[in-house]
Amino acid sequence: MIKVIIVEDDPMVAMINQQYIERSEGFKIIATVGNIGELWNVIKENQPDLILLDVYLPGETGIDFLQKVRQKQFSIPIIMITAAHDISTIKKALENGVIDFLIKPFTYERFELAIENFLQYHTLTTKLKEADQDALDQILIKERGPLSLNQVGKELHSSLPKGLSKLTLKKILHIVVNQEGYFSTEDIAKEVDLSRISTKKYLQYLNDIGYLIEELKYLAVGRPIMVFHIAPEKEHLIMSYK
């Protein structure tokens, strides 16, 4: 369970942020606080995995907190959520290591994209022992291309080949991640209650993006069959579908 602290002095905005987080599976809000002093008190008792941080707060600002976190060399992923849109504030936030910056008011789709980006970062930094260039590129250059952030979000959700359903893919992934060792198309088709041909299309897609590895398995009798196994270091590739 990913532990989240919301830092927001406006109760209405805090409630919206909470509702947005609660729509994401696997997250738990451990505290909602209205100032930096309360935030430090919570952190002393329970280290969060993610902080949603406002800039304009009574007393110390969100930027003050970021600078202290950096001075103390704490590693806490932070998404800045604020009405501040001046370049000076944005620059300070980015220089002090925020993983995303949302300007109020923002859409749920943009918030969801921020969470998906965080999940890729979280997987890379907590679950993988080493990373290849593809894994790093998911984090380091995801927002540096010619597309806007909104376009990136739309592209992320429309990246499945024609004829494949995200909902069905999620069901298949739920079965796949629980497989031990090698498995066949027929193994997955039986569990997900889908035709072998349709199941093959989804497994082939996961193979094409690198999450699955396809191999021929030679049997004692009869023709060899095609089997798959997971490439665990590629888990970041399917985070947006889980």
Side-chain angles (χ1 to χ4, degrees):
M1 191 65 69
I2 294 172
K3 298 179 293 184
V4 183
I5 299 177
I6 296 173
V7 189
E8 173 60 64
D9 65 327
D10 184 326
M12 183 62 70
V13 176
M15 183 179 68
I16 292 172
N17 291 345
Q18 178 177 334
Q19 291 173 345
Y20 280 179
I21 278 289
E22 289 173 346
R23 290 168 67 175
S24 303
E25 293 183 10
F27 289 77
K28 178 183 179 182
I29 298 172
I30 59 173
T32 298
V33 299
N35 61 65
I36 300 301
E38 293 176 357
L39 174 58
W40 280 118
N41 290 336
V42 175
I43 291 174
K44 289 176 184 177
E45 298 295 327
N46 202 341
Q47 179 81 8
D49 300 303
L50 173 66
I51 295 175
L52 306 183
L53 179 65
D54 192 10
V55 171
Y56 301 128
L57 297 163
E60 290 184 280
T61 69
I63 297 298
D64 294 330
F65 174 76
L66 286 175
Q67 292 172 336
K68 287 188 177 180
V69 164
R70 186 164 187 174
Q71 290 171 3
K72 294 176 181 291
Q73 297 185 332
F74 286 171
S75 180
I76 307 176
I78 296 171
I79 297 176
M80 189 69 79
I81 299 180
T82 177
H85 54 81
D86 60 284
I87 295 302
S88 176
T89 297
I90 294 172
K91 181 180 178 183
K92 288 177 182 177
L94 295 175
E95 286 175 346
N96 283 280
V98 298
I99 63 172
D100 212 333
F101 194 110
L102 304 189
I103 300 174
K104 303 173 187 175
F106 51 88
T107 64
Y108 173 71
E109 287 72 24
R110 180 60 183 89
F111 182 88
E112 186 179 33
L113 177 59
I115 293 301
E116 288 174 349
N117 291 340
F118 160 74
L119 285 172
Q120 290 180 338
Y121 173 86
H122 184 72
T123 297
L124 179 69
T125 56
T126 64
K127 296 183 180 181
L128 304 181
K129 293 182 179 180
E130 57 184 30
D132 58 18
Q133 190 64 55
D134 287 341
L136 287 175
D137 288 349
Q138 291 288 321
I139 306 300
L140 299 179
I141 64 173
K142 63 181 182 296
E143 295 171 7
R144 297 181 189 172
L147 298 178
S148 70
L149 289 174
N150 286 336
Q151 287 174 312
V152 171
K154 290 176 182 176
E155 185 178 82
L156 182 64
H157 288 287
S158 62
S159 59
L160 282 178
K162 186 177 180 179
L164 299 191
S165 158
K166 185 173 181 179
L167 181 60
T168 302
L169 179 58
K170 289 178 71 172
K171 291 179 180 179
I172 288 176
L173 280 169
H174 180 72
I175 302 299
V176 166
V177 297
N178 290 311
Q179 300 297 307
E180 294 184 3
Y182 291 87
F183 54 89
S184 67
T185 300
E186 188 173 355
D187 293 333
I188 304 302
K190 287 180 180 178
E191 292 199 50
V192 82
D193 194 22
L194 195 65
S195 73
R196 187 179 180 280
I197 293 175
S198 295
T199 303
K200 174 66 175 178
K201 292 179 181 178
Y202 286 92
L203 296 182
Q204 191 59 55
Y205 168 70
L206 294 173
N207 176 73
D208 291 343
I209 66 173
Y211 178 65
L212 295 182
I213 297 174
E214 189 178 35
E215 294 183 17
L216 271 177
K217 180 180 180 181
Y218 291 90
L219 306 176
V221 179
R223 298 171 59 184
I225 63 171
M226 195 66 69
V227 294
F228 300 88
H229 66 92
I230 295 172
E233 72 277 7
K234 300 289 188 177
E235 185 177 358
H236 62 281
L237 296 173
I238 51 95
M239 289 306 299
S240 61
Y241 301 119
K242 295 183 71 174

